[in-house]
Amino acid sequence: MRERYRAQVRAEIKQAALRQLAESGPGGLSVSAIGKELGVSGPALYRYFAGRDELLTELVIDAYNDLADALSAAISHAPGQEPRARLEAMVRGYRSWALAEPHRYRLLFGPPLPGYDAHAERLVAASVAAMNLLLGTLREAGDRAPTPPSRPLASQLTAWAQTHAADVDPAIALRAILIWSRLHGLVSLEIAGNFASMGIDPDQVFEAQLPALTA
């Protein structure tokens, strides 16, 4: 019962933190304010999280896990299970999750606060699941790159793929990184409101880029 209560309180703290993130961004995250919202003192929350950075780390890991779940769900509902259909479903699922959870998406790809280590081992490990879905889909499709990457890039790509326990050659690893880079750029600009400020429909920009992403 004690462990169930602890898990429940931790979940309530994280939900309150997510509301703060949505309203004020990472800089507005306050353990004292969370305690006030939950009806306890701020110091009482340190029994559940050692500090604000640990709370942020848990939120980032949860976000990575939810993103991977969203991509898996998108793939499972792809209209047909050909690699390109799976890849398109994944790309659409990535964008949909980011648009639905912009405050959580922003946590994943940069230090949310000065001094916070966004590349800590736990965070890097949490990011693997989503990338592995992309690598697996591209491996099924096969290497269609006109030329393989040259050294030393090929060696770096091989080493990176091995950290993901992915048996893919450097050309597929490079495709995965380029697809993610382009998609992340599009999504980041969209949730920041850049396309809207230009008077351009982000849906049409995304659809125009989709064939290049899934070619």
Side-chain angles (χ1 to χ4, degrees), residues 43-60:
L45 299 187
Y46 291 114
R47 289 181 291 178
Y48 303 95
F49 294 95
R52 185 173 61 172
D53 280 6
E54 182 181 322
L55 177 55
L56 271 172
T57 295
E58 293 291 330
L59 296 179
V60 173

Side-chain angles (χ1 to χ4, degrees), residues 99-183:
L99 294 181
E101 307 274 358
H103 56 295
R104 300 179 73 199
Y105 182 82
R106 293 187 188 98
L107 285 178
L108 301 184
F109 302 111
L113 293 171
Y116 182 85
D117 184 4
H119 304 287
E121 185 176 348
R122 288 185 67 199
L123 303 183
V124 173
S127 72
V128 168
M131 181 58 76
N132 280 354
L133 291 169
L134 176 56
L135 287 167
T137 300
L138 294 177
R139 182 174 56 230
E140 294 173 12
D143 175 19
R144 299 184 183 182
T147 57
S150 59
R151 292 183 178 277
L153 179 58
S155 297
Q156 295 167 359
L157 291 165
T158 298
W160 172 77
Q162 288 173 348
T163 65
H164 287 255
D167 182 20
V168 297
D169 64 30
I172 292 176
L174 179 59
R175 266 187 59 73
I177 290 174
L178 292 178
I179 288 171
W180 171 73
S181 299
R182 293 168 183 164
L183 180 58

Side-chain angles (χ1 to χ4, degrees), residues 15-69:
Q15 286 302 314
L18 287 174
R19 287 191 290 272
Q20 287 190 359
L21 284 173
E23 293 171 2
S24 307
L29 189 62
S30 165
V31 174
S32 296
I34 292 172
K36 184 177 180 180
E37 179 180 337
L38 298 181
V40 298
S41 67
L45 299 187
Y46 291 114
R47 289 181 291 178
Y48 303 95
F49 294 95
R52 185 173 61 172
D53 280 6
E54 182 181 322
L55 177 55
L56 271 172
T57 295
E58 293 291 330
L59 296 179
V60 173
I61 291 172
D62 287 349
Y64 272 125
N65 291 338
D66 286 351
L67 174 59
D69 289 345

